[in-house]
Amino acid sequence: MKDELLSYRTGGWCYYGTNTVQNPAFKDTDNVGKFMTFGKGFITDGMQKLILKAIEQGITPLIKHTDTNAREFLLSSDGSWVIIWYSTDKENDLKKLAQFLMDNSLVPLTKSGRYYNIPFKYDEQTRNGEYGDQFKASISLKDLMDLNTGEFY
């Protein structure tokens, strides 16, 4: 992972894009959330470049991932990490992000070849401590696309 590609790092997270008090990533809505993708090991230079590509193409203004170099913050003992791909809940924004994730093989396929039904989690749900069985997604990929074909509605 190349540190020079990061916008900043803090608290076990590496951030890309813009998100400061002076310049918040999402100004006009409280309906912000994220799709999450997972992996193991280290974040590669190629993954960082893909993250920057999503920002440069206007897919999202903000992405963060587990800082795999800050072992004291890792919650996972098996070396797994998460990338948080932020979006508003506007249908066009969600479809654009979902398409980007699919185009870059970040939405896994089931054994039968279907796309996994990744949930969209609102930031408010995270702030409210909704995890595991307590988390109920109101939007997921199945609401945007046919999981068998990958075609959007």
Side-chain angles (χ1 to χ4, degrees), residues 100-143:
F100 181 86
L101 295 175
M102 290 170 40
D103 288 348
N104 290 285
S105 302
L106 294 169
V107 178
L109 298 173
T110 65
K111 287 181 182 179
S112 65
R114 275 183 82 172
Y115 287 98
Y116 272 94
N117 188 28
I118 297 175
F120 179 78
K121 185 175 186 183
Y122 285 100
D123 284 357
E124 185 175 327
Q125 291 176 297
T126 300
R127 286 191 295 273
N128 291 337
E130 295 178 30
Y131 294 95
D133 292 339
Q134 294 177 340
F135 169 64
K136 303 290 184 238
S138 57
I139 302 171
S140 59
L141 285 184
K142 70 173 175 46
D143 300 312

Side-chain angles (χ1 to χ4, degrees), residues 7-129:
S7 296
Y8 61 97
R9 68 172 8 126
T10 185
W13 294 102
C14 295
Y15 290 83
Y16 302 80
T18 304
N19 192 38
T20 64
V21 172
Q22 296 81 14
N23 191 12
F26 296 97
K27 301 174 190 167
D28 300 329
T29 181
D30 290 329
N31 297 326
V32 174
K34 60 266 191 187
F35 285 120
M36 295 180 269
T37 58
F38 301 89
K40 279 190 178 183
F42 289 93
I43 301 291
T44 64
D45 295 349
M47 183 59 75
Q48 280 186 295
K49 289 177 182 169
L50 191 61
I51 288 168
L52 292 174
K53 180 180 175 182
I55 292 168
E56 291 165 0
Q57 290 183 352
I59 305 296
T60 177
L62 178 65
I63 299 170
K64 73 179 184 182
H65 64 71
T66 309
D67 186 348
T68 56
N69 294 326
R71 294 287 176 200
E72 69 274 15
F73 290 108
L74 287 179
L75 300 176
S76 166
S77 61
D78 67 355
S80 60
W81 46 258
V82 61
I83 300 176
I84 311 292
W85 305 84
Y86 287 97
S87 179
T88 70
D89 65 355
K90 295 177 184 170
E91 187 174 350
N92 277 355
D93 292 344
L94 290 171
K95 286 181 176 180
K96 187 167 57 170
L97 178 53
Q99 185 68 61
F100 181 86
L101 295 175
M102 290 170 40
D103 288 348
N104 290 285
S105 302
L106 294 169
V107 178
L109 298 173
T110 65
K111 287 181 182 179
S112 65
R114 275 183 82 172
Y115 287 98
Y116 272 94
N117 188 28
I118 297 175
F120 179 78
K121 185 175 186 183
Y122 285 100
D123 284 357
E124 185 175 327
Q125 291 176 297
T126 300
R127 286 191 295 273
N128 291 337

